Short mmCIF file of all heavy atoms in Angstrom, two decimals:
data_model
loop_
_atom_site.label_atom_id
_atom_site.label_comp_id
_atom_site.label_asym_id
_atom_site.label_seq_id
_atom_site.Cartn_x
_atom_site.Cartn_y
_atom_site.Cartn_z
N VAL A 290 -5.59 -5.33 -43.71
CA VAL A 290 -6.49 -4.82 -44.58
C VAL A 290 -6.81 -3.41 -44.19
O VAL A 290 -7.45 -3.21 -43.16
CB VAL A 290 -7.77 -5.70 -44.57
CG1 VAL A 290 -8.88 -5.33 -45.62
CG2 VAL A 290 -7.45 -7.15 -44.87
N TRP A 291 -6.48 -2.50 -45.10
CA TRP A 291 -6.50 -1.04 -44.77
C TRP A 291 -7.54 -0.24 -45.62
O TRP A 291 -7.62 -0.63 -46.84
CB TRP A 291 -5.22 -0.48 -44.81
CG TRP A 291 -4.04 -1.33 -44.12
CD1 TRP A 291 -2.96 -1.86 -44.66
CD2 TRP A 291 -3.87 -1.52 -42.64
NE1 TRP A 291 -2.21 -2.61 -43.80
CE2 TRP A 291 -2.84 -2.33 -42.50
CE3 TRP A 291 -4.77 -1.20 -41.64
CZ2 TRP A 291 -2.38 -2.79 -41.32
CZ3 TRP A 291 -4.31 -1.68 -40.37
CH2 TRP A 291 -3.26 -2.49 -40.20
N THR A 292 -8.16 0.71 -44.98
CA THR A 292 -9.19 1.49 -45.78
C THR A 292 -9.17 2.89 -45.27
O THR A 292 -8.73 3.10 -44.14
CB THR A 292 -10.55 0.84 -45.59
OG1 THR A 292 -11.43 1.71 -46.36
CG2 THR A 292 -11.00 0.80 -44.17
N ASN A 293 -9.51 3.84 -46.19
CA ASN A 293 -9.63 5.25 -45.73
C ASN A 293 -11.06 5.59 -45.14
O ASN A 293 -11.32 6.76 -44.74
CB ASN A 293 -9.35 6.13 -46.87
CG ASN A 293 -7.89 6.13 -47.13
OD1 ASN A 293 -7.07 6.40 -46.20
ND2 ASN A 293 -7.38 6.12 -48.40
N ASN A 294 -11.98 4.60 -45.32
CA ASN A 294 -13.43 4.82 -45.03
C ASN A 294 -13.84 3.98 -43.93
O ASN A 294 -13.95 2.68 -44.13
CB ASN A 294 -14.19 4.72 -46.33
CG ASN A 294 -15.67 5.26 -46.02
OD1 ASN A 294 -16.20 5.30 -44.98
ND2 ASN A 294 -16.29 5.54 -47.22
N ILE A 295 -14.17 4.36 -42.71
CA ILE A 295 -14.64 3.57 -41.65
C ILE A 295 -15.97 2.85 -41.97
O ILE A 295 -16.24 1.82 -41.43
CB ILE A 295 -14.78 4.52 -40.32
CG1 ILE A 295 -15.03 3.73 -39.13
CG2 ILE A 295 -15.96 5.50 -40.53
CD1 ILE A 295 -14.99 4.49 -37.92
N LEU A 296 -16.71 3.46 -42.84
CA LEU A 296 -17.92 2.71 -43.27
C LEU A 296 -17.80 1.49 -43.96
O LEU A 296 -18.79 0.62 -44.02
CB LEU A 296 -18.85 3.76 -44.15
CG LEU A 296 -19.28 5.01 -43.45
CD1 LEU A 296 -19.96 5.84 -44.42
CD2 LEU A 296 -20.09 4.77 -42.12
N HIS A 297 -16.59 1.32 -44.54
CA HIS A 297 -16.31 0.03 -45.19
C HIS A 297 -15.89 -1.17 -44.18
O HIS A 297 -15.83 -2.33 -44.59
CB HIS A 297 -15.13 0.24 -46.14
CG HIS A 297 -15.49 1.08 -47.28
ND1 HIS A 297 -14.54 1.68 -48.17
CD2 HIS A 297 -16.66 1.46 -47.69
CE1 HIS A 297 -15.04 2.36 -49.11
NE2 HIS A 297 -16.45 2.30 -48.87
N ILE A 298 -15.73 -0.76 -42.94
CA ILE A 298 -15.10 -1.79 -42.02
C ILE A 298 -16.01 -2.98 -41.77
O ILE A 298 -15.66 -4.09 -41.96
CB ILE A 298 -14.74 -1.08 -40.57
CG1 ILE A 298 -13.70 -0.09 -40.78
CG2 ILE A 298 -14.32 -2.12 -39.52
CD1 ILE A 298 -12.27 -0.62 -41.15
N PRO A 299 -17.43 -2.82 -41.48
CA PRO A 299 -18.18 -3.91 -41.30
C PRO A 299 -18.22 -4.93 -42.48
O PRO A 299 -18.30 -6.25 -42.30
CB PRO A 299 -19.58 -3.34 -41.12
CG PRO A 299 -19.24 -1.92 -40.58
CD PRO A 299 -18.04 -1.53 -41.28
N ASN A 300 -18.31 -4.41 -43.71
CA ASN A 300 -18.23 -5.28 -44.91
C ASN A 300 -16.87 -6.03 -45.06
O ASN A 300 -16.89 -7.23 -45.37
CB ASN A 300 -18.49 -4.51 -46.21
CG ASN A 300 -19.94 -4.16 -46.43
OD1 ASN A 300 -20.90 -4.76 -45.80
ND2 ASN A 300 -20.25 -3.03 -47.04
N LEU A 301 -15.73 -5.39 -44.71
CA LEU A 301 -14.43 -5.97 -44.76
C LEU A 301 -14.34 -7.02 -43.74
O LEU A 301 -13.83 -8.09 -44.05
CB LEU A 301 -13.45 -4.88 -44.57
CG LEU A 301 -13.20 -3.94 -45.65
CD1 LEU A 301 -12.23 -2.74 -45.29
CD2 LEU A 301 -12.66 -4.56 -47.03
N VAL A 302 -14.91 -6.82 -42.49
CA VAL A 302 -14.97 -7.86 -41.52
C VAL A 302 -15.68 -9.07 -41.98
O VAL A 302 -15.24 -10.23 -41.82
CB VAL A 302 -15.57 -7.33 -40.24
CG1 VAL A 302 -15.70 -8.44 -39.27
CG2 VAL A 302 -14.62 -6.19 -39.68
N ALA A 303 -16.83 -8.86 -42.51
CA ALA A 303 -17.72 -10.04 -43.17
C ALA A 303 -16.92 -10.75 -44.11
O ALA A 303 -16.96 -12.09 -44.10
CB ALA A 303 -19.04 -9.41 -43.62
N GLU A 304 -16.26 -10.03 -45.03
CA GLU A 304 -15.47 -10.80 -46.16
C GLU A 304 -14.45 -11.57 -45.51
O GLU A 304 -14.08 -12.68 -45.99
CB GLU A 304 -14.96 -9.78 -47.11
CG GLU A 304 -16.04 -8.99 -47.94
CD GLU A 304 -15.47 -7.87 -48.85
OE1 GLU A 304 -14.14 -7.79 -48.90
OE2 GLU A 304 -16.22 -7.14 -49.37
N PHE A 305 -13.83 -11.02 -44.45
CA PHE A 305 -12.69 -11.64 -43.94
C PHE A 305 -13.26 -13.09 -43.26
O PHE A 305 -12.60 -14.08 -43.40
CB PHE A 305 -11.86 -11.01 -42.86
CG PHE A 305 -10.76 -11.61 -42.12
CD1 PHE A 305 -9.50 -11.59 -42.67
CD2 PHE A 305 -11.00 -12.32 -40.97
CE1 PHE A 305 -8.50 -12.43 -42.04
CE2 PHE A 305 -10.03 -13.04 -40.34
CZ PHE A 305 -8.78 -13.13 -40.84
N ILE A 306 -14.24 -12.86 -42.36
CA ILE A 306 -14.85 -14.02 -41.66
C ILE A 306 -15.21 -15.17 -42.68
O ILE A 306 -14.95 -16.35 -42.31
CB ILE A 306 -16.08 -13.53 -40.86
CG1 ILE A 306 -15.65 -12.67 -39.68
CG2 ILE A 306 -16.85 -14.84 -40.29
CD1 ILE A 306 -14.76 -13.20 -38.82
N LYS A 307 -15.73 -14.83 -43.72
CA LYS A 307 -16.12 -15.85 -44.82
C LYS A 307 -14.78 -16.55 -45.30
O LYS A 307 -14.79 -17.82 -45.35
CB LYS A 307 -16.74 -15.22 -46.04
CG LYS A 307 -17.12 -16.13 -47.13
CD LYS A 307 -17.85 -15.43 -48.19
CE LYS A 307 -18.48 -16.38 -49.32
NZ LYS A 307 -17.35 -17.12 -49.95
N LEU A 308 -13.67 -15.85 -45.52
CA LEU A 308 -12.52 -16.41 -45.95
C LEU A 308 -11.89 -17.28 -44.77
O LEU A 308 -11.30 -18.37 -45.04
CB LEU A 308 -11.46 -15.41 -46.34
CG LEU A 308 -11.87 -14.54 -47.66
CD1 LEU A 308 -10.74 -13.41 -47.81
CD2 LEU A 308 -11.62 -15.55 -48.82
N TRP A 309 -12.00 -16.79 -43.67
CA TRP A 309 -11.46 -17.48 -42.43
C TRP A 309 -12.18 -18.73 -42.19
O TRP A 309 -11.62 -19.82 -41.98
CB TRP A 309 -11.47 -16.51 -41.26
CG TRP A 309 -11.07 -17.23 -39.92
CD1 TRP A 309 -9.69 -17.45 -39.72
CD2 TRP A 309 -11.83 -17.73 -38.84
NE1 TRP A 309 -9.61 -18.19 -38.43
CE2 TRP A 309 -10.80 -18.22 -37.85
CE3 TRP A 309 -13.23 -17.73 -38.50
CZ2 TRP A 309 -11.43 -18.70 -36.69
CZ3 TRP A 309 -13.63 -18.19 -37.40
CH2 TRP A 309 -12.71 -18.79 -36.42
N LEU A 310 -13.50 -18.80 -42.35
CA LEU A 310 -14.23 -20.05 -42.19
C LEU A 310 -13.93 -21.01 -43.16
O LEU A 310 -14.03 -22.20 -43.03
CB LEU A 310 -15.78 -19.63 -42.14
CG LEU A 310 -16.24 -18.92 -41.05
CD1 LEU A 310 -17.61 -18.40 -41.12
CD2 LEU A 310 -16.11 -19.67 -39.65
N GLU A 311 -13.52 -20.55 -44.42
CA GLU A 311 -13.22 -21.42 -45.50
C GLU A 311 -11.76 -21.77 -45.56
O GLU A 311 -11.24 -22.47 -46.47
CB GLU A 311 -13.65 -20.83 -46.87
CG GLU A 311 -15.14 -20.54 -47.04
CD GLU A 311 -15.54 -19.68 -48.31
OE1 GLU A 311 -14.64 -19.08 -48.73
OE2 GLU A 311 -16.71 -19.60 -48.65
N ASP A 312 -10.98 -21.27 -44.57
CA ASP A 312 -9.58 -21.46 -44.48
C ASP A 312 -8.84 -20.88 -45.84
O ASP A 312 -8.07 -21.55 -46.35
CB ASP A 312 -9.35 -22.99 -44.33
CG ASP A 312 -7.80 -23.16 -43.87
OD1 ASP A 312 -7.28 -22.27 -43.25
OD2 ASP A 312 -7.25 -24.31 -44.09
N ASN A 313 -9.39 -19.74 -46.22
CA ASN A 313 -8.83 -19.29 -47.56
C ASN A 313 -8.23 -17.93 -47.34
O ASN A 313 -8.10 -17.05 -48.25
CB ASN A 313 -9.97 -19.14 -48.62
CG ASN A 313 -10.22 -20.45 -49.25
OD1 ASN A 313 -9.26 -21.19 -49.49
ND2 ASN A 313 -11.50 -20.63 -49.57
N VAL A 314 -7.89 -17.47 -46.08
CA VAL A 314 -7.15 -16.26 -45.87
C VAL A 314 -5.84 -16.17 -46.65
O VAL A 314 -5.08 -17.08 -46.55
CB VAL A 314 -6.96 -15.89 -44.38
CG1 VAL A 314 -6.26 -14.54 -44.15
CG2 VAL A 314 -8.31 -15.96 -43.61
N PRO A 315 -5.64 -15.28 -47.44
CA PRO A 315 -4.39 -15.21 -48.28
C PRO A 315 -3.11 -15.39 -47.53
O PRO A 315 -2.96 -14.68 -46.45
CB PRO A 315 -4.35 -13.90 -48.99
CG PRO A 315 -5.83 -13.47 -49.10
CD PRO A 315 -6.44 -14.00 -47.75
N GLN A 316 -2.19 -16.27 -47.91
CA GLN A 316 -0.98 -16.48 -47.34
C GLN A 316 -0.12 -15.28 -47.29
O GLN A 316 0.70 -15.03 -46.32
CB GLN A 316 -0.22 -17.69 -47.88
CG GLN A 316 1.12 -18.00 -47.22
CD GLN A 316 0.83 -18.46 -45.85
OE1 GLN A 316 -0.10 -19.14 -45.36
NE2 GLN A 316 1.72 -17.90 -44.88
N GLU A 317 -0.31 -14.50 -48.31
CA GLU A 317 0.55 -13.13 -48.47
C GLU A 317 0.29 -12.24 -47.27
O GLU A 317 1.18 -11.71 -46.80
CB GLU A 317 0.10 -12.55 -49.74
CG GLU A 317 0.82 -11.15 -49.83
CD GLU A 317 0.24 -10.32 -51.09
OE1 GLU A 317 -0.70 -10.71 -51.56
OE2 GLU A 317 0.90 -9.28 -51.39
N LEU A 318 -0.89 -12.22 -46.76
CA LEU A 318 -1.27 -11.49 -45.60
C LEU A 318 -0.41 -11.86 -44.40
O LEU A 318 0.22 -11.10 -43.77
CB LEU A 318 -2.72 -11.52 -45.21
CG LEU A 318 -3.15 -10.86 -43.97
CD1 LEU A 318 -2.90 -9.40 -44.00
CD2 LEU A 318 -4.60 -11.03 -43.73
N PHE A 319 -0.36 -13.17 -44.06
CA PHE A 319 0.49 -13.68 -43.01
C PHE A 319 2.09 -13.59 -43.18
O PHE A 319 2.67 -13.21 -42.33
CB PHE A 319 0.24 -15.14 -42.71
CG PHE A 319 -1.22 -15.32 -42.20
CD1 PHE A 319 -2.13 -15.85 -43.13
CD2 PHE A 319 -1.58 -15.14 -40.88
CE1 PHE A 319 -3.55 -16.08 -42.65
CE2 PHE A 319 -2.77 -15.27 -40.45
CZ PHE A 319 -3.89 -15.78 -41.20
N ASP A 320 2.33 -13.62 -44.46
CA ASP A 320 3.84 -13.38 -44.80
C ASP A 320 4.25 -11.96 -44.55
O ASP A 320 5.40 -11.65 -43.90
CB ASP A 320 4.07 -13.83 -46.25
CG ASP A 320 3.96 -15.23 -46.62
OD1 ASP A 320 4.07 -16.06 -45.73
OD2 ASP A 320 3.75 -15.50 -47.86
N GLU A 321 3.32 -10.99 -44.91
CA GLU A 321 3.74 -9.60 -44.64
C GLU A 321 3.64 -9.25 -43.17
O GLU A 321 4.47 -8.49 -42.76
CB GLU A 321 2.69 -8.68 -45.35
CG GLU A 321 2.90 -8.69 -46.96
CD GLU A 321 4.20 -8.15 -47.41
OE1 GLU A 321 4.69 -7.11 -46.78
OE2 GLU A 321 4.81 -8.81 -48.20
N MET A 322 2.68 -9.85 -42.42
CA MET A 322 2.62 -9.73 -41.03
C MET A 322 4.03 -10.29 -40.39
O MET A 322 4.46 -9.62 -39.50
CB MET A 322 1.47 -10.52 -40.38
CG MET A 322 0.14 -9.95 -40.71
SD MET A 322 -1.27 -11.13 -40.38
CE MET A 322 -0.90 -11.64 -38.85
N GLU A 323 4.42 -11.28 -40.83
CA GLU A 323 5.64 -11.93 -40.35
C GLU A 323 6.96 -11.05 -40.47
O GLU A 323 7.71 -10.85 -39.62
CB GLU A 323 5.99 -13.34 -40.95
CG GLU A 323 7.29 -14.02 -40.25
CD GLU A 323 7.00 -14.24 -38.96
OE1 GLU A 323 5.87 -14.49 -38.40
OE2 GLU A 323 8.04 -14.26 -38.17
N LYS A 324 6.91 -10.33 -41.72
CA LYS A 324 8.03 -9.43 -42.00
C LYS A 324 7.88 -8.16 -40.98
O LYS A 324 8.91 -7.66 -40.44
CB LYS A 324 7.84 -8.78 -43.45
CG LYS A 324 8.21 -9.83 -44.37
CD LYS A 324 8.12 -9.19 -45.85
CE LYS A 324 8.23 -10.26 -46.91
NZ LYS A 324 7.86 -9.74 -48.25
N THR A 325 6.62 -7.78 -40.68
CA THR A 325 6.50 -6.56 -39.75
C THR A 325 6.90 -6.99 -38.34
O THR A 325 7.40 -6.15 -37.56
CB THR A 325 5.00 -6.16 -39.81
OG1 THR A 325 4.66 -5.85 -41.23
CG2 THR A 325 4.77 -4.94 -39.09
N ASN A 326 6.69 -8.33 -38.01
CA ASN A 326 6.86 -8.78 -36.65
C ASN A 326 8.27 -8.72 -36.29
O ASN A 326 8.69 -8.70 -35.11
CB ASN A 326 6.36 -10.21 -36.50
CG ASN A 326 4.91 -10.22 -36.34
OD1 ASN A 326 4.23 -9.32 -36.12
ND2 ASN A 326 4.28 -11.43 -36.74
N LYS A 327 9.27 -8.56 -37.32
CA LYS A 327 10.75 -8.51 -37.08
C LYS A 327 11.06 -7.06 -36.48
O LYS A 327 12.22 -6.96 -36.09
CB LYS A 327 11.49 -8.82 -38.28
CG LYS A 327 11.31 -10.30 -38.69
CD LYS A 327 12.01 -10.64 -39.96
CE LYS A 327 11.71 -12.09 -40.40
NZ LYS A 327 12.27 -12.39 -41.62
N LEU A 328 10.12 -6.09 -36.53
CA LEU A 328 10.43 -4.77 -36.09
C LEU A 328 10.00 -4.57 -34.78
O LEU A 328 9.34 -5.38 -34.19
CB LEU A 328 9.63 -3.71 -37.14
CG LEU A 328 9.72 -3.92 -38.56
CD1 LEU A 328 8.77 -2.96 -39.31
CD2 LEU A 328 11.18 -3.60 -39.03
N TYR A 329 10.51 -3.41 -34.09
CA TYR A 329 10.16 -2.98 -32.87
C TYR A 329 10.32 -4.04 -31.74
O TYR A 329 9.42 -4.34 -31.01
CB TYR A 329 8.70 -2.45 -32.94
CG TYR A 329 8.46 -1.65 -34.06
CD1 TYR A 329 7.52 -2.01 -35.05
CD2 TYR A 329 9.19 -0.41 -34.17
CE1 TYR A 329 7.41 -1.13 -36.20
CE2 TYR A 329 8.84 0.42 -35.29
CZ TYR A 329 8.03 0.07 -36.20
OH TYR A 329 7.86 0.89 -37.34
N THR A 330 11.53 -4.54 -31.64
CA THR A 330 11.84 -5.54 -30.53
C THR A 330 12.23 -4.81 -29.38
O THR A 330 12.69 -3.69 -29.24
CB THR A 330 12.91 -6.55 -31.07
OG1 THR A 330 14.13 -5.74 -31.26
CG2 THR A 330 12.67 -7.11 -32.42
N GLU A 331 12.18 -5.68 -28.28
CA GLU A 331 12.58 -5.05 -26.90
C GLU A 331 14.15 -4.80 -26.95
O GLU A 331 14.68 -3.87 -26.33
CB GLU A 331 12.19 -6.05 -25.76
CG GLU A 331 10.81 -6.11 -25.54
CD GLU A 331 10.36 -7.07 -24.60
OE1 GLU A 331 10.92 -8.19 -24.51
OE2 GLU A 331 9.46 -6.69 -23.77
N ASP A 332 14.85 -5.64 -27.59
CA ASP A 332 16.34 -5.40 -27.65
C ASP A 332 16.68 -4.11 -28.38
O ASP A 332 17.61 -3.37 -28.02
CB ASP A 332 17.02 -6.52 -28.43
CG ASP A 332 17.13 -7.82 -27.54
OD1 ASP A 332 16.86 -7.79 -26.20
OD2 ASP A 332 17.27 -8.93 -28.09
N GLU A 333 15.88 -3.89 -29.50
CA GLU A 333 16.10 -2.53 -30.23
C GLU A 333 15.79 -1.46 -29.47
O GLU A 333 16.55 -0.36 -29.35
CB GLU A 333 15.24 -2.72 -31.44
CG GLU A 333 15.40 -1.39 -32.40
CD GLU A 333 14.43 -1.30 -33.56
OE1 GLU A 333 13.59 -2.30 -33.60
OE2 GLU A 333 14.37 -0.38 -34.27
N GLU A 334 14.68 -1.40 -28.72
CA GLU A 334 14.28 -0.33 -27.80
C GLU A 334 15.40 -0.11 -26.77
O GLU A 334 15.78 1.02 -26.48
CB GLU A 334 13.02 -0.62 -27.22
CG GLU A 334 12.56 0.64 -26.28
CD GLU A 334 11.19 0.50 -25.67
OE1 GLU A 334 10.93 -0.61 -25.15
OE2 GLU A 334 10.49 1.50 -25.64
N ARG A 335 15.84 -1.09 -26.13
CA ARG A 335 16.88 -1.00 -25.11
C ARG A 335 18.06 -0.41 -25.48
O ARG A 335 18.69 0.45 -24.89
CB ARG A 335 17.16 -2.43 -24.42
CG ARG A 335 18.04 -2.42 -23.20
CD ARG A 335 18.33 -3.84 -22.84
NE ARG A 335 19.25 -3.74 -21.54
CZ ARG A 335 18.66 -3.65 -20.26
NH1 ARG A 335 17.42 -3.65 -20.11
NH2 ARG A 335 19.55 -3.57 -19.32
N ALA A 336 18.53 -0.84 -26.70
CA ALA A 336 19.86 -0.40 -27.37
C ALA A 336 19.61 1.15 -27.66
O ALA A 336 20.55 1.92 -27.32
CB ALA A 336 20.14 -1.09 -28.63
N LYS A 337 18.47 1.53 -28.11
CA LYS A 337 18.33 2.87 -28.55
C LYS A 337 18.16 3.88 -27.29
O LYS A 337 18.62 5.04 -27.23
CB LYS A 337 16.92 3.12 -29.39
CG LYS A 337 17.19 2.62 -30.80
CD LYS A 337 18.32 3.38 -31.57
CE LYS A 337 17.87 4.72 -31.82
NZ LYS A 337 18.76 5.47 -32.66
N ILE A 338 17.56 3.22 -26.30
CA ILE A 338 17.43 4.06 -24.95
C ILE A 338 18.88 4.35 -24.43
O ILE A 338 19.27 5.37 -23.98
CB ILE A 338 16.44 3.38 -23.97
CG1 ILE A 338 15.15 3.50 -24.29
CG2 ILE A 338 16.80 3.81 -22.39
CD1 ILE A 338 14.18 2.72 -23.38
#
Side-chain angles (χ1 to χ4, degrees):
V290 180
W291 313 116
T292 177
N293 285 311
N294 192 339
I295 191 174
L296 297 179
H297 292 165
I298 296 293
N300 285 334
L301 291 173
V302 170
E304 291 172 9
F305 177 89
I306 291 298
K307 183 177 184 297
L308 291 173
W309 179 71
L310 291 171
E311 296 171 349
D312 199 22
N313 279 328
V314 178
Q316 183 58 42
E317 180 191 5
L318 174 60
F319 292 103
D320 292 342
E321 290 298 320
M322 286 165 54
E323 185 59 32
K324 292 177 185 177
T325 306
N326 285 340
K327 295 177 182 178
L328 307 173
Y329 312 117
T330 66
E331 291 178 318
D332 287 343
E333 179 186 0
E334 181 182 37
R335 185 183 183 87
K337 287 299 292 184
I338 285 175

